């Protein structure tokens, strides 16, 4: 079993019961963490304990279980706030995930602030979740979308920023880490440029949260969006962080219970932030699970995670391109990427490769990874993607390489 100086992967793997199984007669190699990560026992237990002991509806109950559920829900918010280094827990809005967080900003801040002719600057490497909400907003508001390109290594072409930014730019929105290429984008630098023309900055942090420490204040951004299930937490829960002064100004996203102050038949006043944005019964069990995922990641420590990540990036960048006919997309320098390897193999469609690997118990993803414009930019219909996380070993990457070589023989 591979280990690094800081992280004992063998011990980590024991925390993830799902990894200990055979798939199609082979020990499972799970390399689809970009789609969703597996959940450690700590998270599974936290969710079970919540439902076994504390479950009730929050904020409106006058009994012990309702108090406990409310405490659990709000304590989870405090943990996520600390994880992102938010200035205050009220800056954290629970959402279903990154997608809903982005839609919330587009549907509230966006509709309130954008006028015909205003511009939204995106990049060609965005996940559809950070593209389509802005297309919808542009259609509704008359705003115009503009796009920063990538270079051949899948890095943002920052030299284009000066020409793309202007006083008309109201928002710059892009991912912290690309789900398709693994590129780590220079968030703080771009945020500074955006702010110099008075634009707001939204970061899609779905793929950053599992790999990197995040400090929204140091990054100097205005909105930051994450998903619980990409960082060891459950599905159906995520968070939007936004500066308090922006949240205070923004209108509600959805109407219903929990988000109100006083309701008349023809008008209402709304609860204070964050509850103004949390209409309806929330996913309390999900919040508890996401907070447990934060505990788990912080228990391992970002330094250990970074050291392990570096080991995997170095290993993958050396071993994968050594396979004849295999091309890895994304940055070549380890410091510019996380351990997400998108690749193409001559003569084998990524879907066929994924099917052959699956027969050997190796789970990868093949397709456009919800980044169709990026695939067009790279001139490929699809890629194969092996995405790693804290429990991935160099042995897993060896099994991947063996599987690719076997596929080459089949297609040879
Ligand atoms: C970069 C990026 N942004 C956004 C999303 C959407 O996240 P969710 O489906 O959890 O809302 C994903 C999911 O794959 C992603 O990788």
């Amino acid at each position: 079993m591979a280990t690094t100086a800081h992280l004992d992967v063998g011990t980590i793997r024991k925390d993830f019961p799902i990894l200990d199984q055979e798939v199609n007669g082979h020990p499972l190699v799970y390399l689809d963490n970009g789609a969703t990560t597996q959940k450690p026992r700590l998270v599974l237990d936290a969710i079970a304990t919540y439902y076994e002991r504390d479950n009730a509806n929050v904020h409106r109950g006058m009994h012990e279980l309702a108090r406990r559920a409310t405490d659990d829900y709000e304590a989870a918010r405090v943990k996520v706030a600390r994880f992102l280094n938010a200035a205050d827990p009220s800056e954290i809005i629970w959402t279903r995930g990154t997608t809903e967080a982005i839609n919330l900003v587009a549907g509230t801040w966006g509709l309130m602030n954008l006028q015909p002719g205003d511009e939204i600057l995106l990049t060609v490497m965005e996940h559809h979740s950070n593209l389509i909400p802005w297309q919808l907003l542009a259609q509704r508001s008359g705003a115009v979308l503009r796009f920063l390109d990538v270079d051949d290594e899948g890095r943002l072409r920052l030299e284009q920023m000066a020409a793309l930014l202007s006083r008309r730019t109201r928002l710059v929105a892009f991912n912290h880490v690309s789900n398709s290429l693994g590129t780590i984008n220079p968030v703080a630098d771009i945020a500074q440029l955006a702010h110099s023309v008075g634009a707001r900055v939204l970061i899609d942090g779905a793929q950053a949260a599992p790999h990197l420490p995040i400090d929204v204040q140091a990054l100097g951004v205005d909105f930051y969006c994450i998903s619980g299930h990409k960082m060891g937490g459950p599905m159906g829960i995520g968070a939007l962080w936004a500066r308090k002064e922006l949240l205070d100004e923004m209108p509600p996203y959805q109407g219903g219970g929990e988000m109100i102050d006083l309701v008349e038949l023809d008008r209402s006043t709304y609860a204070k932030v964050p509850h103004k944005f949390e209409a309806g019964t929330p996913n309390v069990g999900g919040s508890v699970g996401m907070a447990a995922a934060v505990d788990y990641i912080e228990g391992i420590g970002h330094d250990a995670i970074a050291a392990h990540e570096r080991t995997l990036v170095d290993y993958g960048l050396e071993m994968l391109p050594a396979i004849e006919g295999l091309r890895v997309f994304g940055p070549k320098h380890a410091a510019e990427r996380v351990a997400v390897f998108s690749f193409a193999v001559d003569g084998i469609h990524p879907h066929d490769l994924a099917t052959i690997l699956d027969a050997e118990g190796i789970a990868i993803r093949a397709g456009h990874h919800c980044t169709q414009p990026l695939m067009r930019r790279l001139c490929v219909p699809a890629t194969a993607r092996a995405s790693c996380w804290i429990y991935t070993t160099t042995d897993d990457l060896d099994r991947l390489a063996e599987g690719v070589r076997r596929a080459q023989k089949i297609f040879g």
Side-chain angles (χ1 to χ4, degrees):
M1 190 67 66
T3 55
T4 69
H6 303 92
L7 188 144
D8 178 356
V9 189
T11 305
I12 297 278
R13 288 180 71 85
K14 292 200 186 95
D15 294 335
F16 292 81
I18 201 169
L19 296 177
D20 184 22
Q21 63 172 300
E22 294 208 337
V23 169
N24 296 322
H26 302 270
L28 170 65
V29 171
Y30 185 76
L31 291 171
D32 196 15
N33 294 286
T36 199
T37 55
Q38 302 302 346
K39 324 303 172 198
R41 176 74 70 197
L42 186 80
V43 168
L44 303 176
D45 288 349
I47 297 168
T49 303
Y50 167 74
Y51 281 111
E52 283 168 8
R53 277 204 336 224
D54 297 347
N55 177 54
N57 214 328
V58 291
H59 292 139
R60 48 183 121 126
M62 301 203 54
H63 56 81
E64 172 63 17
L65 293 195
R67 271 191 294 277
R68 275 193 231 155
T70 304
D71 288 350
D72 291 346
Y73 184 61
E74 295 302 332
R77 194 191 307 275
V78 171
K79 279 193 183 155
V80 170
R82 199 190 56 217
F83 182 69
L84 297 176
N85 196 30
D88 191 89
S90 65
E91 294 183 333
I92 300 295
I93 313 296
W94 293 114
T95 64
R96 282 190 296 129
T98 300
T99 304
E100 189 176 49
I102 296 170
N103 277 279
L104 189 160
V105 177
T108 59
W109 179 88
L111 270 184
M112 195 174 87
N113 284 288
L114 269 76
Q115 309 289 332
D118 284 346
E119 294 183 359
I120 302 169
L121 178 57
L122 308 172
T123 84
V124 299
M125 65 156 76
E126 296 315 310
H127 189 282
H128 298 162
S129 291
N130 196 30
L131 173 60
I132 296 164
W134 308 119
Q135 292 178 351
L136 293 170
L137 175 61
Q139 286 156 16
R140 287 172 191 156
S141 65
V144 177
L145 302 182
R146 308 201 68 187
F147 295 92
L148 191 63
D149 194 15
V150 291
D151 65 16
D152 291 341
E153 279 192 40
R155 296 171 301 193
L156 292 176
R157 294 183 57 190
L158 297 184
E159 76 279 6
Q160 295 183 338
M161 285 292 286
L164 285 165
L165 280 178
S166 74
R167 288 277 156 203
R168 287 191 303 275
T169 314
R170 302 302 311 278
L171 178 73
V172 179
F174 61 101
N175 59 63
H176 193 161
V177 170
S178 158
N179 64 308
S180 293
L181 300 172
T183 315
I184 301 171
N185 289 318
V187 171
D189 295 346
I190 296 177
Q192 215 169 23
L193 289 171
H195 285 152
S196 72
V197 297
R200 296 288 179 194
V201 178
L202 177 140
I203 301 301
D204 167 353
Q207 298 292 340
H211 297 277
L212 307 174
I214 296 160
D215 180 338
V216 289
Q217 297 187 67
L219 290 171
V221 299
D222 300 296
F223 304 100
Y224 200 101
C225 311
I226 59 175
S227 295
H229 73 101
K230 308 254 191 214
M231 47 178 276
M235 290 188 175
I237 191 73
L240 165 69
W241 167 83
R243 291 182 187 285
K244 181 76 166 27
E245 62 271 23
L246 294 174
L247 290 172
D248 282 337
E249 283 169 9
M250 283 155 54
Y253 177 47
Q254 295 178 331
E258 303 276 350
M259 52 75 76
I260 50 90
D261 176 25
L262 198 73
V263 178
E264 311 266 2
L265 280 178
D266 57 351
R267 76 186 74 92
S268 301
T269 54
Y270 308 120
K272 287 195 169 32
V273 168
H275 302 112
K276 176 170 78 172
F277 297 103
E278 294 178 353
T281 298
N283 181 359
V284 182
S287 303
V288 167
M290 186 161 171
V294 166
D295 283 341
Y296 186 75
I297 288 174
E298 290 181 343
I300 294 171
H302 283 294
D303 288 348
I305 293 173
H308 179 60
E309 185 94 40
R310 187 60 185 259
T311 303
L312 293 172
V313 171
D314 287 344
Y315 196 76
L317 284 183
E318 195 179 317
M319 181 269 293
L320 287 170
I323 299 174
E324 212 184 310
L326 187 150
R327 179 160 66 111
V328 178
F329 298 98
K332 291 190 171 41
H333 294 291
E336 294 174 326
R337 58 145 65 230
V338 299
V340 169
F341 304 105
S342 238
F343 59 95
V345 182
D346 288 348
I348 311 179
H349 193 282
H351 288 155
D352 293 330
L353 181 63
T355 304
I356 290 169
L357 292 173
D358 178 49
E360 299 186 9
I362 304 166
I364 66 157
R365 179 146 294 229
H368 53 65
H369 318 297
C370 294
T371 54
Q372 287 186 18
L374 178 64
M375 295 296 116
R376 259 175 242 123
R377 173 64 183 79
L378 299 173
C379 300
V380 290
T383 71
R385 183 186 72 183
S387 49
C388 308
W389 202 37
I390 46 179
Y391 39 66
T392 306
T393 64
T394 52
D395 294 350
D396 289 339
L397 294 178
D398 286 340
R399 286 265 313 275
L400 171 70
E402 286 160 22
V404 170
R405 289 203 170 90
R406 248 189 304 277
Q408 286 177 314
K409 285 203 185 99
I410 294 169
F411 277 80

